């Protein structure tokens, strides 16, 4: 996901849900995702944007290793769910054990990373701090 598109998406979601963006961090080597912290709702929430794929997720603040995904903010989730250029993954999807997915179509380098880092869930595979 392009940084500019992520920034725009988060600011629009904040405006539509009457929140404010209090922190934004672009992806780097680690983590492999962008982070925006939104404040003003019942709890602060982090919006995560995958660095390469058009997927986003909600997480608890502070963003930890491993990430603790969240579904508690229905208004923000509904706002983000209706964006045509990205897909908001649910906590249930992200917390699904990785063994439930067929990863055999991934390339050899990705499979080596999975064997080395041993992510347990889809969320740990997609949003990680590996180098």
């Amino acid at each position: 996901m392009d940084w500019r598109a992520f920034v725009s998406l988060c600011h629009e979601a904040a405006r539509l849900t009457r929140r404010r963006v209090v922190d934004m961090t672009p992806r780097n080597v680690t983590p492999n995702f962008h982070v925006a912290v939104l404040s003003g709702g019942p709890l602060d929430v982090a919006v995560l944007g995958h660095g390469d794929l058009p997927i986003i997720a909600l997480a608890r603040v502070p963003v930890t290793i491993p990430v603790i995904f969240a579904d508690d903010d229905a208004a923000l989730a509904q706002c983000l769910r209706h964006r045509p250029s990205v897909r908001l993954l649910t906590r249930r999807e992200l917390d699904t054990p990785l063994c439930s997915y067929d990863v055999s179509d991934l390339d050899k380098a990705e499979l080596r990373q999975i064997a080395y880092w041993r992510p347990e869930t889809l969320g740990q595979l997609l949003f990680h701090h590996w180098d």
Side-chain angles (χ1 to χ4, degrees), residues 56-60 67-72 77 81 88-97 101 121-123:
I56 55 176
L58 299 179
R60 299 255 168 96
V67 174
I68 299 171
F69 297 101
D71 267 353
D72 335 69
R81 199 170 284 117
L88 174 66
L89 297 177
T90 66
R91 179 179 179 186
R92 183 181 185 140
E93 290 172 304
L94 293 161
D95 288 344
T96 300
Y101 293 95
T121 65
L122 179 64

Side-chain angles (χ1 to χ4, degrees), residues 47-59:
V47 179
L48 310 182
H50 193 279
D52 297 314
L53 303 171
I55 56 175
I56 55 176
L58 299 179

Side-chain angles (χ1 to χ4, degrees), residues 37-121:
V37 176
L38 279 59
S39 183
L43 297 170
D44 288 354
V45 64
V47 179
L48 310 182
H50 193 279
D52 297 314
L53 303 171
I55 56 175
I56 55 176
L58 299 179
R60 299 255 168 96
V61 174
V63 177
T64 58
I65 302 172
V67 174
I68 299 171
F69 297 101
D71 267 353
D72 335 69
D73 199 316
L76 181 58
Q78 183 173 349
C79 177
L80 293 169
R81 199 170 284 117
H82 296 291
R83 298 293 165 252
S85 58
V86 296
R87 178 163 180 249
L88 174 66
L89 297 177
T90 66
R91 179 179 179 186
R92 183 181 185 140
E93 290 172 304
L94 293 161
D95 288 344
T96 300
L98 191 57
C99 62
S100 299
Y101 293 95
D102 178 10
V103 296
S104 62
D105 285 340
L106 297 176
D107 68 32
K108 289 179 185 179
E110 291 168 323
L111 293 172
R112 278 194 302 271
Q113 290 291 312
I114 291 170
Y116 182 80
W117 292 103
R118 298 180 183 261
E120 295 177 5
T121 65

Side-chain angles (χ1 to χ4, degrees), residues 28-45:
N28 206 328
V29 173
T30 63
N32 73 328
F33 52 89
H34 312 300
V35 178
V37 176
L38 279 59
S39 183
L43 297 170
D44 288 354
V45 64

